[in-house]
Amino acid sequence: MCGIVGYVGSRNAVPILMEGLKRLEYRGYDSAGIGCVVRGKLKVVKKEGHLANLEAILPEGLSSTTGIGHTRWATHGGVNDANAHPQIGAGGKVAVVHNGIIDNYDALKKRLIAEDVAFTSDTDTEVIAQLAAKFLDAGDDPETAVRQTLELIHGTYGLVFLFADHPGLIIGARNGSPLVLGVGEGEMFIASDANAIVRHTPKVVYLDDGETVVVTADDFSTKDLRAAVVDKRVETIEWVAADTDKNGYQDYMLKEIFEQPESVARAFGEGGRLVPEFGTAKLGGLNLERRDFFDIRRVQIIAMGTAYHAAMIGAHLMETIARIPARAEIASELRCRNPIVEKETLYFAVSQSGETADTLMTLREIRSKGGRVMGVINVVGSTMARESDGGVYVHAGPEMAVASTKAFTSQVMSFVLIALLFARMRDLSLSDGKSLVADIGLLPDLMRRVLAQAEEVRRIARKYSSAASFLYLGRGPSYPIAMEGALKLKEIAYVFSEGMSAGDVKHGPIALVNEEMPVVMVAVKGDNLEKTIGGMEEIRARKGRVIAVTNVDDPRITRIAEDVIQVPETREALSPLLTVIPLQLLAYYIAVELKRNVDRPRNLAKSVTVE
Ligand code: G6P
């Protein structure tokens, strides 16, 4: 986690860095800082808390053509000004910003202390700054000093260095944490994420692990660990900067919830992915030969957080539509079991950012054992997208709110397409395929109809906003939706909530139900409806306050439930794309009611790049 940004050119770096940090703040917001070179000296300003705190103390007229910036999500060392980045080496000749964790920092720190180096922070990062300072003092040029430092540190890092004696130069290094270089006209940018750069240039170079980049205003040179030059491709990215604005919404999360009809339409529409005449989907990025579809016996899907809930729905779709045994796994759990990788299993890694360390490391583990991993990823050019054997971009566009919404529905839609493709390659009939394609096409309008009920959801949110805890229940494809609804509420409203299978609740958790407990139940038309209604009766019999999200007009539901949120009907397999929306809105409005910072919930970061 943490966001890093750097600039070298002819403009004033300060506003560029601050604007870049704004776009990266989703990666962490415990503290922020910038460093630049002013008349041969490093000027570092850093402050605990949100970026606004840093903005408030920036000296007026601070100007420099070279600088680095950082927004922090604390790992080593508490949240305070001293532990904020940039960290500076003794003598004030070098400053560094870091995203990642240095595993051997303790041993290195002890060694440096024994050599009389005085530390000013509790961070692992300061070790990097102090080592680089030592090498510079010994007469190394900046590139050699950085290289020598990298040889000593073990761990994960995205790093950008700045040097007092070399204005017009920054050096980046990557191992396990993303870094992307933006190539402008007479100016260069570097950042954890292209988001911080797109406003200035669409031309980017993605660094790979083990690479360093020496950057000046007009040039850059990338090298590997052995200092051999690596030729990198300059890619052009398509995002327009306006995508990352709030467009008049109060926060990114609400904007992104309301964008879902369009983002889901992109997930199935981009590049003509639906083929109505053959009732199938075209997903060229999977790189699968026709006979692969017969050889695949199982599917395993790995992910974390919200993406894991999409993975659960993905597994459900692969089984019910494509009839392939499939299961979803929390990536970090699979990794700690030493995964059994099988030739006939096709693996999928689902991730909005494409950078989540738990998922990425598991992807690497599976691939190192010969497994084939497909990415279902939002961020184009992200590490997972580049390291997987193929995959599907979900095309949700930049997602800025920490709590994921539109990426989730686009991930689910991507699995609908994957399942449809596999099904048609195996035993789904043409007419059944055509009927599914037709139903998919209706979804954006149905989503708009759900969104039109936002005011009603807001009323319900107000009514229940003082409840101490919530249960969310669902069956079949609504089970992951219950989990996702509960996660949203935890994440942004800090209200304890538990999402679980409506079948499992009676095996223990029902003991929690009393007249104070709101129980959100998702009940959709299909195989699971009758049992879900039965479950509602059981909750009501124990005086639980049922809030039903349903697509059926059933008098039993209106009788049992205290509040009903009606969503349009669609087939059960597609229902998660509609039922999740009221749950996103419910969490959102409860959080607003409780005066939470919706886009930047406490303790979280959007992209968790540490394991
Ligand atoms: C973090 C975020 C979650 C997100 C998860 C997976 O924990 O706070 O909202 O779902 O990471 O992120 P990914 O980018 O891999 O989808």
Side-chain angles (χ1 to χ4, degrees):
M1 15 253 293
C2 303
I4 58 186
V5 59
Y7 173 82
V8 44
S10 53
R11 290 192 277 161
N12 181 7
V14 177
I16 295 171
L17 296 174
M18 290 301 289
E19 202 261 339
L21 288 181
K22 252 180 215 145
R23 312 218 162 250
L24 292 173
E25 219 185 355
Y26 71 86
R27 299 179 69 90
Y29 31 79
D30 295 338
S31 54
I34 60 165
C36 49
V37 188
V38 182
R39 287 186 293 278
K41 286 207 163 62
L42 289 184
K43 174 78 186 161
V44 167
V45 192
K46 50 192 192 173
K47 194 72 198 152
E48 176 185 338
H50 288 178
L51 201 52
N53 298 5
L54 172 67
E55 213 155 18
I57 60 156
L58 276 184
E60 203 153 316
L62 179 64
S63 179
S64 168
T65 53
T66 314
I68 57 179
H70 187 268
T71 176
R72 181 169 187 240
W73 187 85
T75 60
H76 293 59
V79 177
N80 55 40
D81 294 353
N83 290 338
H85 299 206
Q87 289 290 321
I88 312 164
K93 293 292 186 190
V94 58
V96 66
V97 287
H98 172 213
N99 169 204
I101 290 179
I102 304 306
D103 298 328
N104 62 337
Y105 90 100
D106 203 32
L108 292 170
K109 186 168 178 173
K110 284 189 180 125
R111 236 162 76 188
L112 287 163
I113 290 173
E115 293 169 22
D116 284 338
V117 175
F119 277 77
T120 58
S121 80
D122 307 317
T123 62
D124 51 342
T125 306
E126 190 180 351
V127 163
I128 304 171
Q130 299 295 9
L131 285 171
K134 268 189 95 70
F135 290 118
L136 286 172
D137 274 355
D140 283 349
D141 62 80
E143 191 183 341
T144 315
V146 167
R147 203 163 283 290
Q148 301 259 47
T149 303
L150 298 183
E151 274 177 24
L152 295 175
I153 59 176
H154 303 146
T156 53
Y157 50 79
L159 293 168
V160 186
F161 293 85
L162 179 73
F163 308 90
D165 296 336
H166 301 268
L169 171 77
I170 51 177
I171 298 183
R174 169 187 167 142
N175 188 46
S177 305
L179 261 193
V180 52
L181 183 76
V183 182
E185 297 282 324
E187 57 183 1
M188 300 278 177
F189 308 82
I190 194 161
S192 307
D193 175 329
N195 253 333
I197 290 175
V198 279
R199 189 161 283 254
H200 304 289
T201 174
K203 290 192 183 149
V204 297
V205 175
Y206 293 102
L207 289 199
D208 287 305
D209 282 351
E211 289 177 354
T212 57
V213 62
V214 175
V215 190
T216 59
D218 300 306
D219 203 7
F220 68 92
S221 102
T222 33
K223 293 187 183 159
D224 65 16
L225 283 178
R226 291 186 307 278
V229 173
V230 186
D231 274 332
K232 303 290 290 184
R233 201 158 56 93
V234 180
E235 299 178 34
T236 305
I237 45 175
E238 291 162 15
W239 287 352
V240 281
D243 279 354
T244 56
D245 289 338
K246 282 189 200 156
N247 289 345
Y249 284 93
Q250 195 179 325
D251 14 59
Y252 282 119
M253 184 174 172
L254 193 62
K255 175 197 168 219
E256 287 160 7
I257 290 173
F258 273 85
E259 255 174 47
Q260 291 178 105
E262 290 74 40
S263 51
V264 160
R266 274 200 303 275
F268 68 73
E270 200 84 0
R273 285 177 166 179
L274 283 181
V275 193
E277 59 277 31
F278 293 107
T280 188
K282 198 175 75 194
L283 297 167
L286 288 178
N287 300 328
L288 290 175
E289 302 285 325
R290 233 181 291 179
R291 58 162 304 109
D292 289 333
F293 289 91
F294 301 104
D295 294 342
I296 293 160
R297 304 281 296 274
R298 267 175 298 280
V299 160
Q300 190 158 26
I301 313 173
I302 56 163
M304 302 301 290
T306 288
Y308 169 64
H309 300 149
M312 288 174 76
I313 296 173
H316 183 91
L317 295 169
M318 290 306 279
E319 289 210 351
T320 51
I321 299 179
R323 306 297 298 153
I324 301 174
R327 56 197 260 221
E329 279 254 21
I330 291 177
S332 57
E333 287 300 320
L334 183 65
R335 183 154 187 249
C336 54
R337 283 209 315 276
N338 183 13
I340 300 163
V341 175
E342 295 171 310
K343 209 166 92 212
E344 318 76 43
T345 301
L346 184 63
Y347 297 86
F348 287 88
V350 192
S351 174
Q352 187 286 127
S353 61
E355 304 292 348
T356 300
D358 290 311
T359 313
L360 174 62
M361 298 314 281
T362 313
L363 174 153
R364 286 181 178 160
E365 178 70 17
I366 295 168
R367 291 197 74 231
S368 75
K369 290 178 164 172
R372 187 147 49 150
V373 188
M374 300 292 155
V376 177
I377 312 285
N378 189 35
V379 177
V380 177
S382 57
T383 309
M384 278 184 234
R386 285 178 298 122
E387 289 194 17
S388 46
D389 295 279
V392 178
Y393 277 125
V394 307
H395 295 304
E399 190 180 64
M400 305 300 287
V402 165
S404 182
T405 52
K406 65 172 181 168
F408 172 79
T409 40
S410 294
Q411 288 158 353
V412 172
M413 177 44 74
S414 301
F415 274 111
V416 170
L417 302 182
I418 295 166
L420 170 63
L421 171 65
F422 273 78
R424 285 287 291 130
M425 293 302 285
R426 292 157 84 110
D427 66 358
L428 191 77
S429 71
L430 174 62
S431 65
D432 286 349
K434 281 184 167 175
S435 143
L436 180 54
V437 169
D439 286 355
I440 292 170
L442 300 175
L443 280 167
D445 270 341
L446 300 182
M447 295 175 96
R448 277 181 204 108
R449 280 168 53 194
V450 183
L451 287 165
Q453 295 178 63
E455 272 311 308
E456 170 64 2
V457 181
R458 190 208 288 247
R459 182 193 66 75
I460 295 171
R462 284 199 181 122
K463 178 172 163 191
Y464 295 93
S465 63
S466 58
S469 53
F470 283 66
L471 279 181
Y472 286 71
L473 305 177
R475 279 173 186 265
S478 301
Y479 164 37
I481 292 302
M483 292 178 70
E484 176 58 10
L487 178 62
K488 287 280 99 53
L489 191 66
K490 288 177 222 182
E491 280 180 308
I492 60 165
Y494 322 146
V495 174
F496 182 81
S497 46
E498 188 72 22
M500 66 185 74
S501 142
D504 201 29
V505 68
K506 58 187 173 298
H507 300 284
I510 202 165
L512 294 166
V513 174
N514 60 18
E515 61 282 358
E516 278 161 24
M517 172 77 85
V519 183
V520 181
M521 298 196 66
V522 185
V524 295
K525 193 170 177 181
D527 297 343
N528 298 296
L529 182 64
E530 285 308 312
K531 286 205 174 70
T532 308
I533 294 178
M536 270 185 200
E537 296 274 17
E538 289 157 17
I539 297 291
R540 190 62 210 136
R542 284 151 185 87
K543 301 196 170 57
R545 305 173 71 183
V546 174
I547 304 165
V549 174
T550 185
N551 63 5
V552 291
D553 186 9
D554 190 306
R556 290 172 297 173
I557 296 182
T558 20
R559 174 176 52 77
I560 304 166
E562 197 171 318
D563 287 283
V564 180
I565 302 168
Q566 199 76 36
V567 299
E569 197 184 313
T570 182
R571 63 172 74 207
E572 190 175 21
L574 300 180
S575 67
L577 290 150
L578 302 182
T579 53
V580 76
I581 296 174
L583 303 194
Q584 296 168 340
L585 288 168
L586 187 67
Y588 174 82
Y589 287 123
I590 291 176
V592 169
E593 201 60 26
L594 297 175
K595 308 216 170 356
R596 310 298 193 213
N597 187 334
V598 173
D599 282 342
R600 293 174 204 154
R602 70 182 181 202
N603 303 343
L604 301 182
K606 186 155 186 67
S607 182
V608 182
T609 55
V610 290
E611 278 186 277

